Amino acid sequence: MKALFFAVLILLILVNTKSFAQCEIKNKVLADGSMVYYSDPEVFYTTKSKSLKINIITDKESYFVALRPIPFPEKKIGKKITDDLVIYLADKNAYKLTHYDTQYIKNDSVMQVLYLIDSKDVEAFSKFEAVVASINMKGTEFIRDYNFKLHKDEIVKQLACFLNKEEK
C-alpha cells in the first residue's frame, strides 16, 4: 500500500513538473533595445525526412509564431521566404499569418521564420488546435504542408502561458 502511494505521488509530481515546465517564459533584449518574451521551441511535427518546431514569441503587443523547419534551405535561398503562412485550425477555418522575418540562428545551423498572428485571430489560436500548416519553402518544394497528428495543441498551450501570465 505504501509503495502504491509513493508511486502515485511521484507520478503526480512528474505530471505537475511537466505542466509547469510548459509555461516557462524566457525573455531577451533585441539589438534595438526592445524586449521579447518566448518559450522554448517544441516539436510540432516530425517524420523521418522533415520536422517542424514551433514557439510563440511576443513583445506584449503582438504575437508571433516562430517556425523552425528541417530541412531548411541555405541562407541565400531561405532569405527569399517571404510568403505568408496559412494554418488551418480545428474550427475548420484557414488563418493567414503575415510573414514577419526569416532568421538564421547560431551560425546558420538553425533557420527560424516568424509569422505575425493577426490580433483578431489570437482568440481562435488560443482555443483551437492546428490541423495543417502550409508554407511556401522557396528553394525546396513549392508548398510544404504539415498535417498534424500528434502535437496539434502546441500553439494553444504556449499561447495559454502568455495569456494567463498577462491576466495576472
Side-chain angles (χ1 to χ4, degrees), residues 17 37 44 48 54 67 77 80 82 93 99 101 105 119 129 135 139 146 149 159-160 168:
T17 302
Y37 303 88
F44 202 40
K48 287 183 179 182
I54 186 171
L67 297 181
I77 295 170
K80 295 178 184 176
T82 57
N93 290 314
H99 176 270
D101 192 18
I105 303 168
S119 59
E129 297 176 333
I135 307 167
Y146 293 91
K149 301 284 186 219
L159 267 176
K168 291 179 181 178

Side-chain angles (χ1 to χ4, degrees), residues 44-45 52 54 85-95 124-125 127-134 144-156:
F44 202 40
Y45 175 90
L52 185 67
I54 186 171
L85 168 69
V86 176
I87 293 186
Y88 298 87
L89 298 181
D91 67 352
K92 299 190 181 4
N93 290 314
Y95 296 87
F125 276 92
K127 291 181 180 178
F128 300 103
E129 297 176 333
V131 178
V132 176
S134 295
R144 187 182 290 179
D145 285 338
Y146 293 91
N147 295 295
F148 306 116
K149 301 284 186 219
L150 300 174
H151 308 285
K152 298 177 178 187
D153 62 347
E154 278 303 323
I155 294 174
V156 172

Side-chain angles (χ1 to χ4, degrees), residues 66-103:
L67 297 181
R68 293 183 179 187
I70 295 176
F72 57 85
E74 64 182 69
K75 191 173 188 175
K76 185 171 90 173
I77 295 170
K79 286 292 190 177
K80 295 178 184 176
I81 296 173
T82 57
D83 289 352
D84 296 336
L85 168 69
V86 176
I87 293 186
Y88 298 87
L89 298 181
D91 67 352
K92 299 190 181 4
N93 290 314
Y95 296 87
K96 184 185 279 191
L97 283 68
T98 305
H99 176 270
Y100 186 78
D101 192 18
T102 300
Q103 306 167 336

Side-chain angles (χ1 to χ4, degrees), residues 17 24 26 41 47 60 84 114 158:
T17 302
E24 184 178 346
K26 299 178 179 181
T47 66
K60 293 201 174 183
D84 296 336
L114 294 173
Q158 289 188 28

